[in-house]
Amino acid sequence: MEAIINLLSWLFLLSGGLFCITGMIGLIRFPDLFTRLHGASVTDTLGAGFIVIGLILQSGFTLVTAKLIIIMGLILLTSPVATHALAQAALHAGILPKLDNDETGGHIAGEDE
Amino acid sequence: MMFTVALIAVLISLVLAMVRAIIGPTMFDRVLAVNSTATLAVLSLALIGFVAGRPEFLDIAILYTLLNLIGTLAVLRYFHPNEN
Amino acid sequence: MIYFFSAVVVTYLFWIILSGHYTVVLMIIGAISSISVVIIASRMAAIDREGHPIYLLIRAGWYWPWLIWQIIKSGLNVSRIILSRSLPISPTLINVKANQKTVVGIVTYANSITLTPGTISVEIEDRDITVHAITLEGALDVQSGEMDRMVVKFEGLSSA
């Protein structure tokens, strides 16, 4: 039982670390701001999630687990708010995304004036 | 051992985020990189707590998550057009 | 009033989890501080149905697992794009309609879109959400409206 849990948390911690690196590689490789946001969101969700699951498996039923769940919940609640605020502020500052397909017909919601 | 490996992976991604923060052409790229840095800092705080066997580090991680959101929103608020 | 009590219970649980000491003095201090925090918050009119949506917790039991499954699927997809040599992206902007009735529902929908890697809600005006997707397939996936229907169900009819 001990060995299985250890193996599982190795797996989760390792894949979480790899997803963190993947997201940050995306942050480096993608061509413009709006696509870079997608790379950062991989780190925020999959990277953080898998690392926290790996830590939960190691700590068992204790107060530490409750704190880890709170951390993950806070990350999942705050990261989309920050991402949305960043994208909206960039758009209002006049940074337009490089697009292959624009399906909005030139009308971006909220851009009336 | 496994915590150390994960910590090294997180530190590598921290370096990548710092690279984007330094070269980022616009201000928003830098804010995004700093925001990701904060998430990675929370993860490394939790991992350091496990490596050192001192779970008190998790309290600091919770605090850092909340401060991260407030910090990002405070920076972005400067650039919102219809602020009064 | 029920929102007042549930907010006290939630803040008090948060205190207990953070402190980890169960002596009488600390428990009483925790009770006093959580009650005073909620009193201050209710003077700011932040404790109401919208500010403290405790009723959603019941339906969150099936919405959150579905959302996590979506996050894992699209996260793997975006990771494959990042790691592939040719970087096969086709950035797309698209307008989608939010069919939720309440503000909480629309916020939940927009945040769910942003939380799944590969799609970001850029701008919201009334019920039009402008979504930036990293591939055309991702944009069409949002437009198909599966997540919209799930959030409408999550929000429930009782909140109308």
Side-chain angles (χ1 to χ4, degrees):
Chain A
M1 197 59 203
E2 185 87 23
I4 297 171
I5 287 180
N6 273 337
L7 189 72
L8 273 179
S9 51
W10 259 111
L11 211 69
F12 275 114
L13 284 171
L14 213 61
S15 55
L18 286 180
F19 275 120
C20 277
I21 295 176
T22 308
M24 288 303 115
I25 289 174
L27 195 70
I28 301 284
R29 275 191 81 189
F30 279 143
D32 80 319
L33 171 70
F34 289 85
T35 42
R36 277 172 206 146
L37 286 168
H38 298 295
S41 108
V42 172
T43 301
D44 278 356
T45 55
L46 284 190
F50 280 171
I51 285 182
V52 166
I53 291 173
L55 292 179
I56 284 175
L57 285 176
Q58 281 298 305
S59 62
F61 269 109
T62 50
L63 218 56
V64 174
T65 304
K67 283 179 187 171
L68 285 169
I69 291 172
I70 287 178
I71 289 177
M72 199 56 228
L74 284 176
I75 289 178
L76 286 183
L77 280 178
T78 58
S79 117
V81 176
T83 308
H84 172 73
L86 191 58
Q88 197 190 27
L91 199 69
H92 279 286
I95 297 174
L96 292 176
K98 290 176 188 154
L99 293 178
D100 280 7
N101 325 77
D102 191 352
E103 308 276 329
T104 59
H107 173 77
I108 296 170
E111 291 264 293
D112 290 330
E113 54 281 326
Chain B
M1 184 59 201
M2 60 180 104
F3 304 128
T4 319
V5 172
L7 188 57
I8 290 170
V10 170
L11 290 180
I12 292 171
S13 16
L14 261 172
V15 170
L16 291 173
M18 289 324 286
V19 169
R20 176 49 75 190
I22 291 166
I23 65 174
T26 66
M27 192 275 302
F28 296 102
D29 289 294
R30 298 202 167 96
V31 174
L32 172 62
V34 170
N35 191 22
S36 305
T37 308
T39 306
L40 292 169
V42 168
L43 289 179
S44 55
L45 272 172
L47 284 167
I48 287 170
F50 273 81
V51 169
R54 292 175 59 192
E56 298 89 31
F57 274 83
L58 289 175
D59 298 337
I60 308 172
I62 292 176
L63 203 66
Y64 209 91
T65 321
L66 293 169
L67 281 177
N68 171 26
L69 175 76
I70 296 170
T72 307
L73 291 184
V75 171
L76 293 173
R77 196 134 172 81
Y78 271 115
F79 301 93
H80 211 266
N82 45 10
E83 62 182 311
N84 294 310
Chain C
M1 206 55 202
I2 185 156
Y3 295 109
F4 186 90
F5 280 118
S6 69
V8 169
V9 169
V10 169
T11 41
Y12 193 49
L13 278 178
F14 191 55
W15 168 283
I16 289 175
I17 287 171
L18 284 193
S19 96
H21 295 282
Y22 305 110
T23 59
V24 177
V25 182
L26 279 174
M27 299 292 265
I28 292 173
I29 292 174
I32 292 171
S33 56
S34 60
I35 288 173
S36 46
V37 161
V38 176
I39 287 174
I40 293 169
S42 64
R43 279 175 63 86
M44 289 162 64
I47 306 289
D48 52 9
R49 192 180 176 85
E50 186 186 311
H52 189 66
I54 198 81
Y55 57 96
L56 287 176
L57 266 186
I58 308 154
R59 285 190 290 267
W62 57 261
Y63 178 66
W64 285 347
W66 179 83
L67 183 62
I68 289 171
W69 175 235
Q70 296 302 109
I71 289 171
I72 291 174
K73 265 199 304 189
S74 52
L76 288 173
N77 202 14
V78 173
S79 312
R80 215 188 51 236
I81 292 173
I82 291 173
L83 293 178
S84 63
R85 242 179 188 317
S86 57
L87 211 61
I89 56 171
S90 52
T92 306
L93 264 188
I94 199 163
N95 278 336
V96 294
K97 205 121 189 101
N99 292 314
Q100 288 75 32
K101 288 185 202 69
T102 59
V103 177
V104 175
I106 294 174
V107 170
T108 308
Y109 183 39
N111 271 359
S112 305
I113 288 175
T114 311
L115 201 54
T116 46
T119 48
I120 290 172
S121 59
V122 179
E123 186 78 74
I124 301 173
E125 186 190 28
D126 284 340
R127 287 172 189 286
D128 284 322
I129 302 179
T130 304
V131 176
H132 183 278
I134 198 161
T135 58
L136 187 59
E137 294 83 60
L140 295 179
D141 218 33
V142 176
Q143 202 181 32
S144 72
E146 190 193 357
M147 183 177 273
D148 187 40
R149 284 191 293 277
M150 289 299 275
V151 179
V152 167
K153 254 196 274 176
F154 168 65
E155 178 193 41
L157 289 169
S158 58
S159 51

